[in-house]
Amino acid sequence: MEASREFVYQKFTEYYQDPSTLIPATTMPEQREFAYLMFKERFMVRHRRFAEFKNLRSALAETVPSDVYHSCAYYENPDFDMDKKGWLGADLVFDIDADHIPTNCDKIHDEFTCTKCGFSCRGIIPETCPACEATKFEAKTWPCELCIQSARDETAKLLDMLENDFGFSQDDLHVYFSGHRGYHVHIENEAVRSLDAMARKEIVDYVTGLGLGILDKEPEEKRGKSVASKKFSLHNFGWNRRLKLGMQNFLLNATKEDLKKAGIRNNALLKNRETIIKRCINEGRWESINDVSVQTWLKLAEYIRDSQSSKIDTVVTTDIHRLIRMNGTLHGKTGLKKVEFPAKNLQTFDPFTGAVAFKKGTTKVLVSDAPEFRLGGETLGPYKNQTVELPVAAAVMLICKRRAVVAN
Ligand SMILES: [Zn+2]
Ligand SMILES: [Zn+2]
């Protein structure tokens, strides 16, 4: 193995072998499938069962995987083949990853190379290669602060719905930084365990605002006719309340530009904002302003729905056999750890200090290309083709991100 990978492997080994490393116990480990990606061989070991958590700890110290996962599901026989495992239930999990969220940074820090034709470009990874239409890429990504903030905002909307609309308590909501550029929310509450894939899809639809009665009806052309006779109304619970508050907020602050973004041409909404808010939103007399039609309200409500929905990775939540990264273990793409923090600290928890696993020592690396970044309380970079002595955590991250090699 080349020196740089060997260096990272060494650090991962120290982490998993250090008895003072805190790895919180997984709930009911004996009923979970554990899986891990082998550091050197790069294959996934699946269907492992650990009757006791301490056995898992020793297995990690011995094998030193690059990534560790466990099933959200509980099984009678977690070490059997999938069809013989005997599914007993599963946690309800949500994954919010900057990869799936449009951001202001436009992901210019990411770079992808087509594995078929070698076409390479910066920015968001496309579905298919612009040069040859192949679909496999080598990606170089970066956990940038804007990306993480956007994931944090989406997580905040999700937590708000889980608490206020679904009625989970803060204690039910286990919130984690994923170790890369996103967040996970796990609910282990008994009430969710038996939900099947269909029921989970319903929850996904709610969170993403899909199929809201008031908005998703007949197609546009039909709507034109029926809409004149239709009344617009919103009640005070769940999404209706969310739309109302969002619309009120929008009206208070909107500029002409914002209207345009919402696809609304008519500027009537900006005149007499106070009257409109009072009569239409507060008193529910939506048709009391001549220049503001039901269509306009629908358009605005759609826009608010899109901004208030949470951009979760929908596949993760509906998959009742899903493997998810284990709390307290290292992410192979960053060397940061997945770490839990209280839901109420979402805005204040700083992954670039709180998820740092390697806190001692420095090492010399040759950095090809890195933007300015913050890690472990220090601001580092930008670097371009230069040898620098870095804290171990930063060196590990740059090597994992394939932006540096060990120097000498
Ligand atoms: Zn290509
Ligand atoms: Zn970014």
Side-chain angles (χ1 to χ4, degrees):
M1 190 160 50
E2 44 130 347
S4 301
R5 292 296 295 163
E6 186 63 55
F7 171 76
V8 174
Y9 179 68
Q10 201 49 47
K11 292 299 152 192
F12 274 46
T13 306
E14 286 168 22
Y15 180 81
Y16 286 117
Q17 293 185 349
D18 182 349
S20 72
T21 297
L22 188 79
I23 302 182
T26 311
T27 319
M28 296 201 280
E30 72 284 359
Q31 293 187 351
R32 310 251 191 195
E33 173 192 351
F34 286 86
Y36 37 82
L37 187 62
M38 297 300 289
F39 205 102
K40 301 186 182 181
E41 300 82 352
R42 307 307 295 166
F43 65 78
M44 188 82 136
V45 176
R46 293 276 316 257
H47 315 298
R48 296 294 312 271
R49 173 175 185 268
F50 295 95
E52 288 184 68
F53 194 72
K54 64 175 198 294
N55 304 344
L56 170 63
R57 274 255 5 197
S58 359
L60 293 181
E62 207 172 296
T63 40
V64 189
S66 78
D67 298 87
V68 187
Y69 307 89
H70 64 69
S71 61
C72 302
Y74 304 92
Y75 299 109
E76 249 168 89
N77 305 297
D79 45 346
F80 286 21
D81 285 344
M82 284 318 286
D83 54 336
K84 299 193 179 69
K85 275 180 162 39
W87 190 85
L88 298 171
D91 301 331
L92 180 62
V93 296
F94 299 89
D95 177 19
I96 296 109
D97 193 309
D99 291 0
H100 304 278
I101 308 168
T103 49
N104 289 331
C105 61
D106 267 342
K107 313 271 191 303
I108 48 163
H109 41 71
D110 289 2
E111 202 179 309
F112 61 90
T113 307
C114 172
T115 51
K116 195 173 161 205
C117 76
F119 175 86
S120 181
C121 195
R122 275 181 184 264
I124 296 162
I125 300 166
E127 300 257 310
T128 57
C129 171
C132 77
E133 297 192 343
T135 54
K136 284 221 168 93
F137 302 96
E138 288 257 308
K140 253 187 181 177
T141 59
W142 186 254
C144 103
E145 308 239 6
L146 280 173
C147 281
I148 288 180
Q149 186 55 46
S150 68
R152 191 183 279 133
D153 293 342
E154 297 305 320
T155 307
K157 289 185 273 177
L158 170 68
L159 292 176
D160 185 64
M161 285 188 228
L162 292 174
E163 236 187 297
N164 295 314
D165 298 3
F166 287 86
F168 292 108
S169 75
Q170 288 222 338
D171 292 340
D172 286 326
L173 306 174
H174 297 278
V175 186
Y176 307 83
F177 171 65
S178 73
H180 189 210
R181 50 183 187 184
Y183 294 87
H184 296 166
V185 177
H186 300 197
I187 300 174
E188 300 185 346
N189 189 314
E190 222 154 318
V192 304
R193 255 179 230 165
S194 59
L195 296 176
D196 63 10
M198 284 297 286
R200 287 166 204 252
K201 176 72 169 62
E202 289 286 337
I203 294 172
V204 164
D205 287 352
Y206 187 91
V207 168
T208 55
L210 196 72
L212 286 185
I214 177 153
L215 299 177
D216 297 304
K217 289 165 301 269
E218 57 277 81
E220 195 77 30
E221 67 270 22
K222 268 197 184 169
R223 186 196 278 176
K225 278 184 205 156
S226 58
V227 95
S229 59
K230 192 172 312 160
K231 295 234 167 181
F232 186 85
S233 75
L234 292 171
H235 57 71
N236 282 320
F237 182 71
W239 260 107
N240 280 246
R241 178 184 134 266
R242 226 166 267 290
L243 291 176
K244 244 188 210 184
L245 290 176
M247 289 161 89
Q248 175 163 336
N249 222 3
F250 179 91
L251 289 180
L252 280 173
N253 304 303
T255 60
K256 274 189 185 172
E257 277 306 298
D258 294 328
L259 271 195
K260 235 193 233 165
K261 258 195 232 161
I264 298 169
R265 299 239 174 95
N266 142 16
N267 286 332
L269 280 177
L270 302 187
K271 295 173 211 148
N272 310 316
R273 300 175 196 234
E274 261 86 75
T275 315
I276 295 182
I277 289 172
K278 181 172 174 289
R279 276 205 222 158
C280 306
I281 297 183
N282 297 346
E283 295 169 11
R285 296 191 289 136
W286 296 95
E287 281 113 287
S288 64
I289 308 283
N290 276 341
D291 295 338
V292 184
S293 65
V294 170
Q295 274 100 329
T296 301
W297 287 124
L298 280 172
K299 198 111 214 174
L300 181 59
E302 253 165 39
Y303 180 72
I304 300 298
R305 183 262 314 267
D306 294 342
S307 70
Q308 295 295 308
S309 63
S310 176
K311 320 270 170 311
I312 58 171
D313 183 341
T314 60
V315 179
V316 172
T317 304
T318 47
D319 183 355
I320 59 167
H321 302 283
R322 192 77 185 185
L323 292 173
I324 191 112
R325 186 174 303 280
M326 183 176 137
N327 188 19
T329 64
L330 301 172
H331 198 301
K333 281 184 186 162
T334 56
L336 296 172
K337 53 187 179 178
K338 172 162 170 174
V339 51
E340 182 172 9
F341 56 87
K344 63 173 170 21
N345 295 355
L346 177 67
Q347 295 300 339
T348 52
F349 175 81
D350 176 17
F352 297 112
T353 51
V356 172
F358 310 112
K359 296 195 169 137
K360 283 190 221 130
T362 58
T363 199
K364 255 192 199 162
V365 286
L366 170 60
V367 187
S368 55
D369 182 21
E372 183 180 296
F373 64 104
R374 223 166 38 75
L375 199 64
E378 283 185 70
T379 302
L380 303 158
Y383 304 117
K384 186 99 193 163
N385 301 322
Q386 66 196 99
T387 303
V388 277
E389 177 133 5
L390 291 181
V392 165
V396 167
M397 185 155 103
L398 292 180
I399 293 169
C400 288
K401 289 273 155 213
R402 289 179 290 148
R403 289 164 188 267
V405 292
V406 168
N408 44 40

